[in-house]
């Protein structure tokens, strides 16, 4: 056998070994999701703990009323992973796309008790529990998994703007509202771990994948 043929054969035998080593080393490192919204001081400096690690803002406490007329608070969601968005029942376009994509998330995790969905209305004067219940039924929402919440408008807007850092406002003189199309992924400790375009199928595919990553992260920490 010539030296060149021997070299080629050696490379061919070495490639599977290198792939095996690569896969094995990759399996030792687990992909984790980043946290969003670091705490900052009045001067704009990032707040860090004694070890120098960045501190992040958590979703603040809230209590609103579900489509079943029941109080639902952040405490009720502690210990769960949840996906949230802001919408209104009479929205003519974007909310329909968002709700249709949220249906996909519900279907993907229908049997996963650790995952919840939470949709806050930005038009609480119109979107009563009865209206939200009808809206949820239209999309096949499981009321034990997917909460549609209504309540005091100022408190909802404050939660959107200062809790999730999302824009929301009522258009004066019109029955229309400005709100974000974003879905937010919140972990069991109230930290935002992902932001997605709730009207984009591929981005919601990423959300579904990253929920699985987060579930895996918790399972490995036990």
């Amino acid at each position: 056998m010539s030296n060149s043929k021997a070299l080629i054969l050696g490379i061919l035998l070495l490639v599977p070994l290198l792939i095996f080593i690569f896969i094995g080393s990759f399996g030792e490192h687990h992909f984790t999701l980043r946290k969003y919204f670091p705490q900052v001081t009045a001067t704009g400096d990032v707040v860090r703990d004694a070890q120098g690690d960045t501190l992040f803002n958590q979703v603040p406490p809230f209590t609103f009323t579900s489509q079943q007329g029941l109080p639902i608070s952040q405490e009720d969601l502690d210990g769960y992973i949840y996906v949230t968005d802001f919408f209104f029942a009479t929205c003519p376009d974007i909310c329909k796309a968002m709700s249709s994509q949220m249906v996909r998330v519900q279907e993907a995790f229908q049997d996963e008790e650790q995952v919840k969905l939470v949709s806050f209305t930005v038009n609480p004067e119109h979107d009563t529990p009865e209206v939200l219940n009808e809206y949820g039924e239209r999309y096949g929402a499981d009321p034990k998994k997917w909460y549609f919440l209504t309540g005091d408008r100022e408190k909802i807007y404050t939660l959107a703007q200062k809790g999730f850092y999302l824009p929301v406002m009522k258009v004066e003189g019109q029955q229309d509202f400005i709100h974000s199309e974003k879905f937010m992924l919140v972990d069991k400790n109230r930290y935002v771990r992902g932001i997605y375009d709730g009207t984009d199928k591929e981005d919601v595919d990423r959300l579904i994948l990253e929920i699985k990553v987060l579930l895996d992260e918790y399972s490995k920490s036990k």
Side-chain angles (χ1 to χ4, degrees):
M1 181 183 294
S2 67
N3 289 338
S4 61
K5 288 182 178 180
L7 178 61
I8 293 172
L9 179 60
I11 292 173
L12 291 175
L13 291 173
L14 185 60
V15 167
L17 176 62
L18 292 174
I19 293 174
F20 177 79
I21 293 172
F22 174 77
I23 293 174
S25 63
F26 181 79
E28 295 173 0
H29 299 87
H30 305 295
F31 174 72
T32 58
L33 304 181
R34 59 170 288 194
K35 292 179 181 177
Y36 289 75
F37 311 129
Q39 297 181 22
V40 295
T41 65
T43 57
D45 296 319
V46 174
V47 179
R48 303 181 186 277
D49 62 17
Q51 288 72 44
D53 295 325
T54 300
L55 296 179
F56 291 86
N57 287 301
Q58 296 170 287
V59 176
F62 63 79
T63 300
F64 296 111
T65 304
S66 76
Q67 70 267 42
Q68 294 188 308
L70 301 174
I72 299 294
S73 69
Q74 172 60 66
E75 289 184 357
D76 294 315
L77 295 166
D78 286 349
Y80 292 95
I81 296 167
Y82 68 92
V83 180
T84 189
D85 69 345
F86 290 82
F87 83 112
F88 60 105
T90 55
C91 177
D93 41 41
I94 186 173
C95 299
K96 294 179 180 178
M98 293 167 64
S99 295
S100 294
Q101 290 301 318
M102 196 69 89
V103 168
R104 296 182 58 231
V105 181
Q106 176 180 253
E107 291 174 346
F109 298 98
Q110 185 65 58
D111 299 322
E112 178 51 73
E113 294 182 356
Q114 298 180 71
V115 178
K116 301 284 189 181
L117 312 177
V118 184
S119 295
F120 298 91
T121 178
V122 298
N123 185 14
E125 290 84 0
H126 174 272
D127 293 347
T128 62
E130 293 77 15
V131 170
L132 294 179
N133 186 59
E134 181 180 346
Y135 186 90
E137 289 179 345
R138 196 183 312 158
Y139 287 93
D142 178 351
K144 294 182 180 179
K145 177 172 285 289
W146 187 355
Y147 304 125
F148 292 85
L149 301 185
T150 187
D152 181 81
R153 192 210 300 185
E154 184 175 347
K155 291 180 179 178
I156 292 173
Y157 283 25
T158 298
L159 177 65
Q161 295 163 354
K162 298 184 178 180
F164 291 101
Y165 304 93
L166 293 175
V168 59
M169 65 176 291
K170 184 180 187 304
V171 179
E172 293 301 327
Q174 301 181 36
Q175 292 299 313
D176 198 7
F177 301 83
I178 295 173
H179 65 93
S180 174
E181 81 287 357
K182 300 300 183 184
F183 286 178
M184 313 285 273
L185 175 60
V186 182
D187 70 15
K188 295 182 179 182
N189 299 307
R190 306 186 185 187
Y191 292 109
V192 174
R193 303 293 294 275
I195 303 175
Y196 315 85
D197 183 338
T199 66
D200 185 272
K201 181 181 182 298
E202 291 186 359
D203 219 23
V204 175
D205 287 341
R206 180 171 65 90
L207 164 61
I208 291 171
L209 175 61
E210 293 188 353
I211 292 173
K212 294 176 181 178
V213 169
L214 195 53
L215 287 168
D216 185 62
E217 181 179 314
Y218 282 114
S219 68
K220 284 181 169 59
S221 66
K222 292 181 180 179

